[in-house]
Amino acid sequence: MSIAVILSALLLGQAAPPASADGLPLGALPRQTLPPRGCAAFLWSSGATRTLVAMVSADPALLRLSIDGSVTDLPRDSQRGAAGFGFAETAEYRAGTTTATLVMSVKTRADLKDGAAVPEATLRLDREGKDSVVLPVAGMIGCS
């Protein structure tokens, strides 16, 4: 099955996004689409409320989050290890005094075409003068 079909079904079926993911400063992203080229990882929170909290694109290397109600793109600052599909095992994204660190595993599956699964990942948000937040996430990678 095409990963684009699966992602479309998941994203279309998403109800109006809640203000935040389980009371954290990370909120739900509005509906996202695959980039015109390359791959993107769509990551949902693994807490009590399943919410699309992050989209990571491989090219350009950006992490999109909703922080305190504002959608923000953080450019990749560094990376270590190879997870696949243009993504690192550990990547740090930074803009101003906000840093997000994403650690993820990527698993290819025979039943997924043009993408892969992200069975487990951890998203850490650090902001100057604020508490750090660590959120377990999981999702899928889709490629154009």
Side-chain angles (χ1 to χ4, degrees):
M1 178 176 288
S2 168
I3 197 79
V5 172
I6 295 169
L7 284 171
S8 291
L10 289 170
L11 294 170
L12 284 174
Q14 188 175 357
S20 71
D22 296 330
L24 300 173
L26 288 169
L29 287 173
R31 183 172 181 231
Q32 303 293 303
T33 58
L34 282 172
R37 61 181 162 69
C39 300
F42 299 85
L43 302 171
W44 282 264
S45 59
S46 298
T49 305
R50 291 282 211 178
T51 305
L52 179 66
V53 294
M55 184 183 93
V56 189
S57 61
D59 181 21
L62 293 172
L63 171 65
R64 178 170 291 157
L65 302 170
S66 177
I67 303 172
D68 292 330
S70 178
V71 175
T72 304
D73 286 338
L74 304 172
R76 187 175 62 212
D77 187 56
S78 65
Q79 62 182 353
R80 294 183 308 281
F85 294 86
F87 297 101
E89 182 180 354
T90 302
E92 196 168 86
Y93 301 84
R94 184 184 317 270
T97 60
T98 300
T99 302
T101 304
L102 179 62
V103 179
M104 69 178 182
S105 64
V106 174
K107 302 290 182 202
T108 56
R109 295 183 356 200
D111 62 333
L112 295 177
K113 180 182 171 222
D114 300 327
V118 179
E120 58 186 16
T122 303
L123 177 62
R124 178 184 169 126
L125 179 67
D126 296 298
R127 298 179 295 161
E128 190 174 290
K130 308 257 183 181
D131 289 339
S132 294
V133 173
V134 178
L135 182 67
V137 294
M140 302 185 91
I141 294 173
C143 302
S144 301

